[in-house]
Amino acid sequence: MQFPNREVRAVLHITRSSWLNNRGSTIKNLVVSSDLIVDVSASEVVIALLENKKLVEFSRERSGAKFAVGDIYLGKVKKIMPSLNAAFIDIGYEKDAFLHYLDMGPQFATLNKFLRIASSRKNKISTISRIYSEPDINKEGKISEVLKAGQKILVQVAKEPISTKGPRLTSEISLSGRYMVLMPFSEKVSISQKIKSTEERNRLKKLVQSIRPKKYGVIVRTAAESIRVADLDQELRRLVERWETSFSKLKRVNPPALIVGEMDRTTALLRDIYHRDFNSIIVNDFTVYKEISDYIGTIQADKKKVVKHYKGRQPIFEYYKVEKQIKASFGQTVSFKNGSYLIIEHTEAFHAFDVNSGNRSKAGLDQETNAMEVNLAACDEIARQLRLRDMGGIIVIDFIDMHVTSNRHKVYEHMKQIMANDRTKHNILPLSKFCLMQITRQRVRPEEHIETAEMCPNCKGTGKVVPTVLFADDINSKVAYIFNDLNKKKLIIKVHPYVAAYLTKGLKSYRMKWFRKYFKWLKVEGVSSYSYLEYHFFDENMEEIIL
């Protein structure tokens, strides 16, 4: 989903008074404060999107990750499956990718002709406008009529590998930009349905038709609303150039091979969600900080200042209170309001949400009104959880029973309004008489799963720890070893905040005793994600001292 005009998004908030009458919901439009926190490490990049300081999206991308949505590959047909009217394609993944006949696109014959010409060393091709278009393939045809085993084929990843399944592919190639999606071999110009103004739709269609090259179709995205023709033309040229630079690569490689890689997850997320009112984009790695800053500069030069480089010693997620929200949001049980909570279960076929009122009670409210109030609040949290965990497929929600039809309809309408902020394609069905709701949500990536339960670092899962009265003595002996035997000049100890207070408060604290004994100042830092008896030592270079 792209942001509407004036870059203002609707946050749907239903007041308590609206729950207590039958006149419907009161919706207040509030400006959303958006912050993006990016944690870069050697093995992965972790991205957290906060709206009004609340975590709403979370994703991680491993370094060197392949087979992402949008990647274009030169593959080889491994097996034709007439019974499925599909084929399995080798694109280099451990399992063959799946391509259905309906995902090949009407212009497949033209794409196949282009591939033959571009792969030939004799023929030189600089633009696809010179290629004569072949007739569209039959919508009700058979895959065996257009493909054969061993054939080269140009495909794009439409769905990443999930569970035991390989990637799902399409031959309708597209390249996404912020304002438009480029479709080679198509002549069609489409405008996002979320742009409601007829005048604006006509303006954009005329502009794009006047600047697009031959044999290129364009889908104009919602973000293009009110954008100048110069900006549209600049992005269109960039997308065409990106596609045409792949021509020479097709001559040099053999399948399977990556031809055009989608941009990294951080930049792709920015492309889809960035708007003028973004408060900040904070990154803890200078290289990624520069990349994002340059990308924002191409969109809106005066907004490069919102990109900030975090230089603090404390972990970036810890400093911005993201770590605590992750721990609170990814468990099986999630609390959301006044003691109410959700129980979330996952199966191979679907995801289930069970709404519970807990020990919540309100004087003066009957059971029906209380149930509706809890259900309306649950809608907000469920919509957030779907985005946060990127849950796809079939979602079943078991709301608290409501016997009044109008109340069930209110919950259904509120869920639709809340889910309007979700960029992923979805469909919501009304509540049944048993207060069950079914949602289908497009799944293109594996669900984000984080294990919130931690193994005790002290007992290692045995259930037994050293006597707590010896805890301070244990730290004391290790401090003596580090200063006397390892000759460290500076020392930092990270512990739970309660233990940090115990070690530092007062003139007779352990830290003052160490200072008087060794004439060296020891820094004590509290880390809330640590368990009570967990501690780690670091030297002046912030390298951990393993004892």
Side-chain angles (χ1 to χ4, degrees), residues 93-118:
Y93 187 65
E94 58 189 32
K95 293 189 176 181
D96 291 336
F98 182 80
L99 174 66
H100 195 274
Y101 181 82
L102 296 178
D103 293 325
M104 297 178 71
Q107 293 90 26
F108 178 76
T110 306
L111 175 66
N112 205 30
K113 180 180 179 179
F114 157 76
L115 179 59
R116 288 197 307 270
I117 297 173

Side-chain angles (χ1 to χ4, degrees), residues 390-419:
D390 201 8
M391 297 165 67
I394 300 173
I395 296 105
V396 177
I397 306 167
D398 183 9
F399 286 104
I400 299 173
D401 286 348
M402 296 178 294
H403 303 290
V404 180
T405 304
S406 60
N407 289 342
R408 294 199 294 267
H409 183 70
K410 285 180 184 178
V411 172
Y412 168 62
E413 289 297 325
H414 184 57
M415 179 61 85
K416 287 201 301 182
Q417 292 164 347
I418 289 292
M419 290 284 287

Side-chain angles (χ1 to χ4, degrees), residues 21-35:
N21 59 52
N22 294 323
R23 292 180 295 175
S25 313
T26 301
I27 302 173
K28 296 182 180 180
N29 291 331
L30 301 173
V31 176
V32 172
S33 164
S34 298
D35 301 277

Side-chain angles (χ1 to χ4, degrees), residues 74-88:
L74 177 64
K76 179 184 284 188
V77 179
K78 290 297 291 291
K79 192 175 182 180
I80 304 293
M81 301 294 291
S83 60
L84 299 175
N85 204 18
F88 286 101

